[in-house]
Each structure stands twice: as C-alpha cells, then as structure tokens.
Amino acid sequence: MEFKFEGRTKLITQILMGIGLIALIGGFMADGTDHHQRWWANLLVNGFFWFSISLAALFFYALNYAVEASWSALIKRCFEAMWHFLPIGGGVIIVVLAAGHFFHAHHLYHWMDNSLYHEYMVVEGDTIEFMDEATEGAVANPNYDHIIAGKQPYFVTWFFWLRTLGYIGTFLIFARLFRKWSLLEDEQPSLDLHYKQFKRSAVFLVVFAVFSSMLAWDWVMSIDVHWFSTLFGWYLFSGMWVSFMIMLNLGLIWLRSKGYYQEVSSSHMHDISKWMFAISMLWSYLWVSQFLLIWYANIPEEVTYYTQRFFSDYQVPFLITFFVNFAVPFYTLLPRDTKRNANFIVPVGLLIFIGHFADVYLLVIPGTLFDHNEFGIFEVALFLGFLGLYLNRTLSALSKAPLIPKNHPMLQESKELHY
Amino acid sequence: MQKEAAIREPLILGDKSYKDITDDVVGPIEGPAPIGWKIMITISSIVAVYGVGSILYLLGTGIGVWGLNKTVGWAWDITNFVWWVGIGHAGTLISAVLLLFRQKWRMAINRSAEAMTIFAVIMAAIFPGIHMGRIWVSYWVLPLPNQFGSLWVNFNSPLLWDVFAISTYFSVSLVFWYIGLIPDFATIRDRMTKPLSKKIYGLLSFGWSGRAKHWNRFEEVSLVLAGIATPLVFSVHSIVSMDFATSIVPGWHTTIFPPYFVSGAVFSGFAMVQTLLLIMRKGMKLENYIHVKHVEYMNIVIIVTGSIVGVAYLTELFISWYSGVEYESYAFINRFSGPYSWAYWIMMTCNVISPQLFWFKKIRRSLIATFVLSIVVNIGMWFERYVIIVTSVHRDYDPSSWGEFHPTSVDVGVFIGTLGIFFTLFLGFARFFPVLALNELKTILKSSGENFKKKQANH
C-alpha cells in the first residue's frame, strides 16, 4: 500500500507553511530588538528542534538495525520519511550560524565577537587593531575575556565550520545510504543487504555518539559560552529522542485513522508508547543529574546557568517544562491500557511534545535575549510554520515508497507482534 | 506461538527436549561434587579466611592500619566498594532491563548473573561497614529514633542516600532472584529421592504446584519487579557517583558522573559475568545453553558500554580544558601526566582500547579472547575508580598538603579477601542451586531451539 499525499492534508501543511512564511517576514520587520536578536534566536530554536527530531529518526533507525529489533520492521519507512527534514533543518542551522559568524547579523553567540580574543589594541582614529602582545601605543582591550580567549583553539573559524559541516554532511550521507539500501531491499531480496545495514548502523551509532555530544556543545552550549557541563550532550540527545518518539506515535495514529498501516497493531503502539515513557524518564534523570549536581556544589562557574533560568522571568516556564516532561508521562503512561489508547496518547503526546519544544526554547532564549524576551504570536506562528514544513517534507517522502518494506527478514516477526 | 525469524541464531543448541533441559541443569546438583569444584572452593575459602583475618585485624586495631593519610582520606576502601557495586549491576540489568526488552537470550545467563549481583553487593557493603572503624555502631547510618541527643543522620549527604539506594537495590534484587528460583526449586524437589533434600527444596519452593494460576502470578510479579528494578539499576550507581560529584573537588565534580558511572557499572558487571560463566559452562557442561551467541551478545554490550565510558572520559578531558578553570584543567593534566599517570593509562588501555577488539567478529566469538578481555576489563574498571579517587584528592587546591597514597598489606588483604568470599559464595551457588532458569528456558525451546528451528525451516 502506498501513502498518497494530496488533498486536504497537503493543503493544511501548506497553509501552516504560509503562516510560517508570514511570521518570518512580519516577525523580522516587527522585531524591535537589537540586530533582530529575537527573530534569529527563534529561527535557531526551530531549526535545531526540528533538525533534532529528524536526527533522532536516523538514530532510531540505526539503533533498531544494530540491536536486531524486529517489532519496528513494519514501520521503518516512517523513520526513513521522518529524517527527510535533515537537509532543511541543517540548512537553517547553517544560515543562522553563518549570519552571526560572517555577517554579524545577530549576536546569539557571544564568542563570535572577534574583539574578545585579544588582550591589547591600538586605536587610530576610527580603526581598531587588536593584538595579543603589548606594543608601543597599545592599550588594554576592555572587551578582552580571558576565559573565552582560552577557548579560541576550539572556536577558531575553520575548525568550527569543519565540525558543523562535518556533522551535517555525515548525517546526510548515512541517511542517503540507509534509504538507498532500504529501497533496494524491496526489489532484490538479499540477506547481504540486511547485514550491510546492520554493520553500517553500528558504524553510524559510533559516529553519532561522538557527534551528538559535540554538536550540542557547538550549537547550543556555546550560547552560554562561559558555562560548561559534561552531561550537556547526552541531555540534549535524550530530549530529541523523546520528541521523535512522540511524533512517530502521533503520526502512526493519524495514518491508521486514515486507513493506512492496518497491519500495525495496538502492540506496536504499546511499544512506541513504552519508548515515550522510558525516554521521558531518561530525560528527567539527566535533567535531575545535571541540575542536582550544579545546585548542590553551587560554584559560580556553573550555577549562573540556573540562576539565569530560576531567578528571572523564565522561572515559571522553566519549572513547568520540567513538570510536564517528567510528571505527565510518569503518571499517565505507566499503565498498560493508556499506552494502547489513542484517545489518551494524542493529548498526552501533544502536551509532552510542546514540553520538549519549550525545553529547547529555554536552552537558547535565556542566553540570547536575557531579560528582554517576549513570547507572542510570532513564536507560535513560526512554530506552526516549521511544523507544516516538517510534515510536508515527511509526508511527501512517505508517499514515495511503499509503506511496508517487502523483504525485511524480520517482517513476519513484526507482523505477528502480540503482547 | 510466535514464529522466530529464520536469520536469528538458535539459543539452545543440540537436539534437546524438555526433559533434557531438566537433566542438564539439575544433574550436577544431584551428583557428587566434581574434583575441580573441590579444588576451587578450597582455594577460594583459604583466601576468604585470609580476608576475614585482615578485616578482624583492621577492626581490632583501627583503620590506621590502612594506608590512608590526611591528604588521601579515601583510597582502596571506596575504590573496592564502587568496584563491587559496579559489578553488582549486570545481574539486575540482565534480568530486568532485558526482560522489558524481551531479549530471550537473557534466560541462559540471568540466574547466575543475579546471584553474582547479590554476592557482589554484599562484598561492596563490607567496605563502608568496616571503614566506620566502629562497626558495632554501624546501625547509626539508619535514621532510627534514638536517645543520644541530637544524633540524627545527615539527609544532605549522598553517603546516606547510598545506604538507602543500595539496601533497596539489594532487597529488590534478592526478591527478584528468589521469585525466579521458585519454579526451579520445585522441579528439583520433584526429582529428589532423599527425604531430607526433598523437604529442604520443598520448603524453598514455597509449595509451587505449576498450575496455570501460579505461572500467571509468577509472570506478573516478574514484570512488576522488572519495572521496579530498572530505575534501581540507574539510581544505585548514580547515587554512588554523587558521593564524589556533589563535592567541589576538581575531577570529582562533573555533571556527567551519574550516567557515566551507570554505564561503567554495566560494563564491569558484564565482564565479571563473562569471567564466571565461561568457567561455569565448561565445568557444568552447559555449552549448549550458554554458547557462542550468548557470549557474543554480552561482548556487544561490553563494546557499547565501554565506548560510552570512553566518550565520557574524553568529554571530561575536553570540558576540563574548555571550562578555562585552572583547577579543573590541572586535575586532568595531573591524571594523565602526574605521579599516577601509570594508573590512568592502564585504565584507558583496559577500558577504552581493549574492548574495541570486539569489533572483530572472530575475537568477539572467541571464548579464550573473551575470557582474557573480561579480566582485562575488570582490572581496568578497578583502576578507573582508583584514578578518579586517588588522583583527584592527592593534589588538591593547596600544594603544601599534596601527598601520595601507598597501600598497606591490610588494604591488599581485605580486597583479596573479598574476592575469596565472593568466589566461595558463587561456587556454593553453582553447587546447590539451579544455575540456569530451566523453566524459563523451556518456554523458548520450541521457538529458539536448534532442532525445532531446523524443523521449521524444513516445512
């Protein structure tokens, strides 16, 4: 059976995309903050959030292959479709980074300011020349920040961009290969192809383990450039994984209501909901680990990050986000019956999904807009726009291949899944 | 019954029937003790007695007989404690987490892994106990109402959370293990001919009858306990890591500690399972149940957790530099180039580099290579704790108080002694208990047994 992406569904995604476009244009013009900081910050939030969901889809696909999971064989085309947003999400991230780094269009990343790295400067009229050693006529550079200057080898332009393009490029290559082999398997039944995917998935997981942490430092942790936390990469990873599981669950419920995927049973839904539950707990565990240790030790290098979120206007959303992302799944998804009940999963899933968007929002905004943040129609509209774009790309990719793979060696096990 | 995909390797080799499984597992219990077992238990008991002697000497004299000094106030004691607790993670992970993931290969290894867990946790508990110096007041760690004035436990201390975490973990693991044993004890009871043995195994099996209702309750309880045990697997080592990470000691205070300790614990636990099972399967002729595929799966867990640990080491190293905090950077520079750099490089080689050999299919399926590497990993994980603990405290903020740690013979004696006690307990288990979950194994015989899979393929 093939999915047809047309009619009302397509129109709705297009309307959402239209709303997003209006938000982009209107938001830019209406944004009164310095350098359109609010506009850029929200672009980064959405670009990263939707990119990370696609990335988690790629990760989950590889994970299922590497652990010889069978239950997911039936729905693996959904994972494939869901990573089709990777190039767009990656593109948005590149645009935001490049705009700040090369064109100084915004000031989201304080470390992109060249004046921080040099201890001295020579002022001649309007021109300022920075230098590392004191020469005649040089004065101390008031902008010099010795902590950020110490990080210079890591943030040096070529290395930073090598990494950024390296992550996105590597993910795209793997995504392409996995998709190619997956479609090829439909045409020629061969176990070799399956084992090839198994092996490449293991390789991908290794690459992902390193890159997922590093991209978290580069793109998100470096916003609060003085701050550091070794756990940060894993924390972000768990967040993207939950968001993906929710999206998958909601998507499948919708597809089944439209008459597709009738082979997918409530046992599959149960399994996905279990993942939602388990990874929500992982996220909460990592949240607490990071927070508790920083709060307990209370050293100024680290605790500033939480003071910024706790003793400010962000306090209420910050606490609600944790409550929603931990307590809601904990209490609602524990029983077996709720995991299998679409009427239950849809509202709960939507709530946690928004909770995880808010989590990403609170990772970016307090370090870029500080006390001047506003949350309004622009933010909502931009979120809807990206949602539309994401759904449009995903559903369009879903319509391009049979919904159920033909020759996956564990397909039968997946169809018979019953617990 | 669900049909298993043809590409899955069988989990039970040979032409086995239900009765063969019972015979293979219960047979060694019924027969006389083999000579190899007698030799091993003699050696380990002697070592255990030496350990008990060292502990008694320590208690009688005071913890001054350890090599601790005013700079390094924690060394082998807590290293051994964390090492043993870490080993105690594999059993519950296998029986609980793998149960939730419906991994059927766990059935061949869960019983002995859980036994190992319980014994390892007991070994771990010895160390904080004797470190108190006055072990007779060790009940003071519990928040008991008392007449001593304002004597009350410090709820802010992760050491107290440890007491709660480990005792909870121990209780749940014990109950989980015992629940699994009940049907198997009943099988033994039914086969015993001597009245006394029959009586004992009858008592142990709680009057199990094998009715459908009993099985139904059994499975439900297992699932509930698995659900409870899974967060405990995480909480125990997270809290152990907080013994260090809540402090402001550079090298200890880092947010990645909780998940990274958990991963390291699973890593070392699986290595110990490999060490024990590779001997046990040979000695008890269980090669058809614990075969190369099981070993391979466990080796894959070892690569994954070992690599997670490796990523964590490198993350710590990188962030210590990235932070720009002088003390933080120095702690790590001192680790890899200071007086204890030898320990650091042993740790790196054993934990990060050597498990990568398992990427080669030949090595990961080789029993000898696995046995050697499992011991290498256990050595590496001991050094990991040693590196974290000793190198972080031996040079702290104030250079005038820098010092070094030298273990005494009592340090060594107590540690070696716990190894002896541990192996004695495990050998006792292997002699009198059903070492495989035989009734559970029977449930997968027709879907994953080699003979049945062949029959299916021929249809």
Side-chain angles (χ1 to χ4, degrees):
Chain A
M1 198 174 193
E2 300 227 359
F3 171 72
K4 289 200 178 54
F5 183 43
E6 57 191 13
R8 217 161 62 114
T9 315
K10 196 164 188 173
L11 187 68
I12 290 173
T13 65
Q14 283 165 344
I15 291 172
L16 287 173
M17 282 157 71
I19 294 174
L21 194 66
I22 296 168
L24 272 183
I25 299 167
F28 192 78
M29 292 194 295
D31 184 6
T33 53
D34 184 33
H35 280 82
H36 301 282
Q37 189 87 335
R38 177 175 165 200
W39 188 84
W40 284 107
N42 280 288
L43 198 60
L44 178 65
V45 169
N46 279 284
F48 181 77
F49 179 71
W50 297 99
F51 173 85
S52 70
I53 293 179
S54 323
L55 183 57
L58 188 60
F59 159 77
F60 198 67
Y61 180 90
L63 182 72
N64 277 275
Y65 263 96
V67 302
E68 302 173 7
S70 63
W71 69 276
S72 57
L74 204 55
I75 51 170
K76 75 178 197 132
R77 284 283 140 80
C78 293
F79 312 158
E80 290 168 24
M82 286 173 80
W83 73 52
H84 273 76
F85 189 78
L86 273 176
I88 301 176
V92 173
I93 292 170
I94 290 174
V95 167
V96 173
L97 292 171
H101 212 167
F102 302 121
F103 305 104
H104 303 290
H106 57 73
H107 202 81
L108 299 183
Y109 297 91
H110 184 49
W111 58 266
M112 286 178 178
D113 183 348
N114 191 39
S115 68
L116 301 166
Y117 296 94
H118 307 284
E119 215 170 337
Y120 300 97
M121 62 182 188
V122 178
V123 187
E124 281 174 35
D126 283 346
T127 56
I128 299 175
E129 197 191 335
F130 294 108
M131 48 192 57
D132 294 327
E133 277 166 39
T135 50
E136 233 185 272
V139 289
N141 173 7
N143 274 354
Y144 176 70
D145 183 321
H146 80 277
I147 294 207
I148 300 176
K151 303 181 191 205
Q152 205 244 353
Y154 189 69
F155 287 131
V156 68
T157 310
W158 68 269
F159 188 36
F160 179 79
W161 281 95
L162 180 73
R163 291 197 308 270
T164 291
L165 298 175
Y167 311 141
I168 297 174
T170 315
F171 296 147
L172 288 177
I173 290 170
F174 273 103
R176 242 190 134 83
L177 285 176
F178 287 155
R179 176 72 166 178
K180 193 178 98 187
W181 292 327
S182 174
L183 294 179
L184 201 62
E185 202 183 26
D186 272 7
E187 286 159 25
Q188 30 177 284
S190 113
L191 275 183
D192 288 345
L193 215 50
H194 179 78
Y195 287 122
K196 198 166 168 183
Q197 300 208 60
F198 167 74
K199 280 181 192 159
R200 294 299 178 276
S201 295
V203 175
F204 173 78
L205 290 179
V206 175
V207 173
F208 179 81
V210 178
F211 282 7
S212 63
S213 266
M214 289 180 73
L215 68 85
W217 305 334
D218 286 352
W219 297 345
V220 187
M221 194 167 89
S222 78
I223 291 171
D224 303 271
V225 65
H226 280 247
W227 183 73
F228 54 89
S229 166
T230 40
L231 186 59
F232 196 76
W234 295 357
Y235 169 73
L236 230 63
F237 156 67
S238 65
M240 62 172 87
W241 194 356
V242 193
S243 313
F244 160 72
M245 293 317 308
I246 300 166
M247 193 78 173
L248 177 69
N249 212 349
L250 298 181
L252 269 173
I253 289 170
W254 179 76
L255 283 167
R256 285 174 69 205
S257 76
K258 295 280 162 200
Y260 301 103
Y261 274 131
Q262 293 309 309
E263 298 85 343
V264 171
S265 66
S266 57
S267 290
H268 291 90
M269 191 177 155
H270 188 179
D271 274 357
I272 301 170
S273 306
K274 276 192 264 185
W275 275 112
M276 262 168 73
F277 173 79
I279 307 305
S280 289
M281 293 309 110
L282 177 70
W283 179 90
S284 316
Y285 163 67
L286 296 175
W287 193 100
V288 169
S289 298
Q290 182 170 286
F291 175 76
L292 179 75
L293 292 176
I294 289 176
W295 168 79
Y296 199 113
N298 198 21
I299 57 178
E301 289 90 338
E302 294 178 342
V303 84
T304 46
Y305 186 80
Y306 285 107
T307 10
Q308 203 175 34
R309 282 158 178 76
F310 234 93
F311 302 106
S312 67
D313 293 344
Y314 299 105
Q315 187 184 47
V316 173
F318 185 69
L319 292 174
I320 290 179
T321 302
F322 177 70
F323 175 79
V324 166
N325 292 350
F326 164 64
V328 171
F330 183 77
Y331 287 109
T332 59
L333 293 179
L334 201 50
R336 179 179 190 270
D337 294 344
T338 56
K339 293 198 198 79
R340 293 169 170 259
N341 185 346
N343 294 330
F344 211 89
I345 290 293
V346 173
V348 167
L350 284 175
L351 190 60
I352 316 171
F353 191 75
I354 293 168
H356 280 280
F357 179 79
D359 178 42
V360 174
Y361 187 82
L362 289 169
L363 291 171
V364 173
I365 299 296
T368 51
L369 291 166
F370 310 100
D371 299 337
H372 326 301
N373 185 43
E374 279 176 64
F375 188 90
I377 300 171
F378 167 64
E379 278 78 4
V380 177
L382 195 64
F383 174 82
L384 293 176
F386 268 89
L387 174 71
L389 186 60
Y390 184 87
L391 292 177
N392 187 287
R393 287 298 81 214
T394 301
L395 293 176
S396 148
L398 194 65
S399 69
K400 296 214 171 81
L403 282 181
I404 293 172
K406 287 200 186 80
N407 297 313
H408 193 291
M410 299 196 200
L411 196 59
Q412 198 54 36
E413 262 190 46
S414 182
K415 282 183 180 163
E416 287 172 11
L417 183 77
H418 177 74
Y419 284 94
Chain B
M1 187 177 61
Q2 203 188 0
K3 198 172 159 185
E4 200 176 83
I7 61 162
R8 293 200 190 275
E9 275 187 49
L11 293 175
I12 298 172
L13 298 183
D15 191 18
K16 297 285 178 197
S17 65
Y18 286 148
K19 179 162 191 320
D20 292 333
I21 297 182
T22 312
D23 288 342
D24 289 343
V25 178
V26 185
I29 301 174
E30 292 167 336
I35 183 80
W37 182 84
K38 284 180 181 157
I39 294 171
M40 281 195 287
I41 201 157
T42 312
I43 297 170
S44 54
S45 308
I46 293 169
V47 178
V49 169
Y50 181 73
V52 172
S54 298
I55 291 172
L56 290 176
Y57 174 70
L58 173 92
L59 293 176
T61 323
I63 50 172
V65 296
W66 273 342
L68 303 175
N69 52 55
K70 74 175 170 45
T71 305
V72 186
W74 257 5
W76 276 47
D77 39 27
I78 194 98
T79 302
N80 297 334
F81 162 73
V82 180
W83 189 70
W84 278 119
V85 172
I87 288 170
H89 268 62
T92 310
L93 184 101
I94 289 168
S95 48
V97 179
L98 297 187
L99 174 84
L100 296 181
F101 278 106
R102 300 192 292 256
Q103 296 295 309
K104 290 174 178 159
W105 58 278
R106 85 192 150 81
M107 291 172 187
I109 53 172
N110 63 351
R111 176 68 41 75
S112 29
E114 283 171 56
M116 178 203 80
T117 288
I118 288 161
F119 303 144
V121 174
I122 296 172
M123 293 311 104
I126 289 178
F127 287 95
I130 57 179
H131 197 177
M132 286 175 214
R134 302 182 178 85
I135 199 169
W136 50 93
V137 294
S138 57
Y139 65 92
W140 286 5
V141 301
L142 302 173
L144 299 169
N146 60 66
Q147 306 292 312
F148 302 127
S150 58
L151 186 68
W152 192 242
V153 291
N154 179 6
F155 284 102
N156 290 340
S157 167
L159 296 173
L160 180 73
W161 311 341
D162 247 354
V163 174
F164 300 145
I166 291 175
S167 49
T168 312
Y169 181 69
F170 181 76
S171 331
V172 172
S173 299
L174 191 67
V175 172
F176 203 176
W177 182 60
Y178 198 84
I179 297 279
L181 274 165
I182 287 175
D184 296 355
F185 276 143
T187 306
I188 302 177
R189 169 200 68 197
D190 296 342
R191 287 168 56 104
M192 281 295 166
T193 44
K194 291 181 205 140
L196 182 65
S197 308
K198 206 176 181 74
K199 190 87 197 153
I200 291 171
Y201 282 109
L203 279 173
L204 290 173
S205 64
F206 288 171
W208 174 272
S209 73
R211 268 179 290 181
K213 192 139 207 163
H214 283 184
W215 276 111
N216 176 283
R217 284 174 183 155
F218 174 83
E219 285 185 2
E220 264 177 37
V221 166
S222 300
L223 200 59
V224 169
L225 282 173
I228 297 173
T230 302
L232 284 174
V233 174
F234 281 82
S235 77
V236 173
H237 230 59
S238 298
I239 288 173
V240 168
S241 83
M242 286 174 192
D243 293 346
F244 310 104
T246 49
S247 69
I248 49 166
V249 176
W252 283 7
H253 175 68
T254 180
T255 49
I256 209 170
F257 256 35
Y260 138 61
F261 263 52
V262 172
S263 182
V266 173
F267 178 58
S268 66
F270 267 82
M272 188 56 106
V273 172
Q274 295 275 37
T275 312
L276 295 174
L277 289 196
L278 285 171
I279 299 174
M280 195 183 86
R281 69 188 278 281
K282 192 96 191 148
M284 301 180 75
K285 300 191 181 58
L286 298 170
E287 286 103 330
N288 283 328
Y289 303 98
I290 306 169
H291 60 90
V292 175
K293 191 65 198 172
H294 294 86
V295 172
E296 188 181 3
Y297 277 140
M298 286 192 271
N299 282 338
I300 291 174
V301 176
I302 289 178
I303 309 180
V304 172
T305 48
S307 303
I308 293 175
V309 167
V311 169
Y313 290 161
L314 298 178
T315 304
E316 272 188 325
L317 199 60
F318 168 73
I319 297 284
S320 73
W321 169 80
Y322 174 89
S323 70
V325 181
E326 201 181 337
Y327 302 109
E328 194 71 28
S329 327
Y330 181 72
F332 283 85
I333 294 169
N334 183 43
R335 265 190 201 177
F336 65 75
S337 66
Y340 288 102
S341 59
W342 53 273
Y344 182 83
W345 292 110
I346 290 177
M347 161 188 111
M348 272 293 187
T349 319
C350 296
N351 291 351
V352 183
I353 299 165
S354 74
Q356 304 304 327
L357 290 172
F358 285 139
W359 282 101
F360 300 101
K361 194 163 187 167
K362 271 225 168 82
I363 298 181
R364 140 173 122 229
R365 290 179 76 101
S366 150
L367 301 178
I368 294 172
T370 303
F371 185 72
V372 173
L373 282 173
S374 72
I375 290 172
V376 166
V377 167
N378 270 317
I379 293 171
M381 284 309 288
W382 190 88
F383 274 101
E384 179 200 289
R385 279 62 176 254
Y386 187 73
V387 165
I388 292 173
I389 292 155
V390 175
T391 61
S392 301
V393 293
H394 89 112
R395 287 186 173 176
D396 57 6
Y397 296 99
D398 186 1
S400 66
S401 61
W402 286 3
E404 281 183 25
F405 171 79
H406 300 284
T408 63
S409 61
V410 185
D411 277 300
V412 182
V414 175
F415 174 57
I416 304 284
T418 53
L419 284 171
I421 304 171
F422 174 77
F423 284 112
T424 309
L425 288 171
F426 193 82
L427 285 163
F429 157 79
R431 179 79 193 92
F432 300 107
F433 283 60
V435 291
L436 298 188
L438 63 101
N439 281 302
E440 272 195 277
L441 271 177
K442 288 176 185 174
T443 63
I444 58 162
L445 180 65
K446 288 197 171 161
S447 59
S448 310
E450 194 186 17
N451 47 351
F452 287 94
K453 276 188 85 99
K454 268 188 196 149
K455 263 186 228 161
Q456 264 182 7
N458 293 336
H459 272 297

